[in-house]
Amino acid sequence: MAAGFEAAGVAAILLVSLVATARFLRRARATSDWVTGLPVYRTDLGRGVLLGLELLVAADILGTVAASPTFENLGILGLVVLIRTFLSVSLSVEIEGTWPWRRRELERTAERPPPD
């Protein structure tokens, strides 16, 4: 089961990277201005990496629980999950431009009509 999640994580990163690159190249060829398409390309790549990281964390959890759950294995799992969570939050801030826990607040502020 864990190996399947690992394969899905790697496949997600590769597939999204290929699709994002194809979209970027298509847009760059159509407009002949690749610089304007670069932020969208980075966002697309970041989302693919985030998806892959989530699947890889699930694989690590399954692998640790399915194997002999010793304190050493649980410590290693905790460290790996901590590192991958840090990477996920960092990528999320890079993509969204705000902390994940502030996203709702900003959405609510954007939906409110301006005061008279």
Side-chain angles (χ1 to χ4, degrees), residues 77-114:
L77 172 66
L79 186 61
V80 168
V81 168
L82 184 67
I83 291 168
R84 289 191 178 161
T85 301
F86 173 76
L87 289 173
S88 294
V89 169
S90 299
L91 281 170
S92 180
V93 169
E94 178 74 23
I95 291 168
E96 303 291 333
T98 185
W99 294 106
W101 51 86
R102 297 216 46 229
R103 200 172 305 138
R104 276 199 180 130
E105 177 185 330
L106 292 174
E107 288 170 358
R108 274 189 253 126
T109 304
E111 290 174 358
R112 269 191 241 140

Side-chain angles (χ1 to χ4, degrees), residues 3-80:
F5 271 91
E6 285 178 351
V10 171
I13 293 171
L14 288 175
L15 183 64
V16 171
S17 297
L18 290 173
V19 170
T21 301
R23 288 177 61 193
F24 171 72
L25 292 174
R26 189 173 350 111
R27 279 190 217 119
R29 198 172 339 122
T31 63
S32 68
D33 181 20
W34 63 271
V35 175
T36 57
L38 202 54
V40 174
Y41 178 56
R42 289 185 62 204
T43 299
D44 290 345
L45 284 176
R47 287 188 176 132
V49 171
L50 277 173
L51 175 63
L53 280 173
E54 295 296 327
L55 291 168
L56 291 171
V57 166
D60 289 336
I61 292 169
L62 287 172
T64 301
V65 171
S68 59
T70 64
F71 283 113
E72 182 179 352
N73 287 346
L74 291 176
I76 291 170
L77 172 66
L79 186 61
V80 168

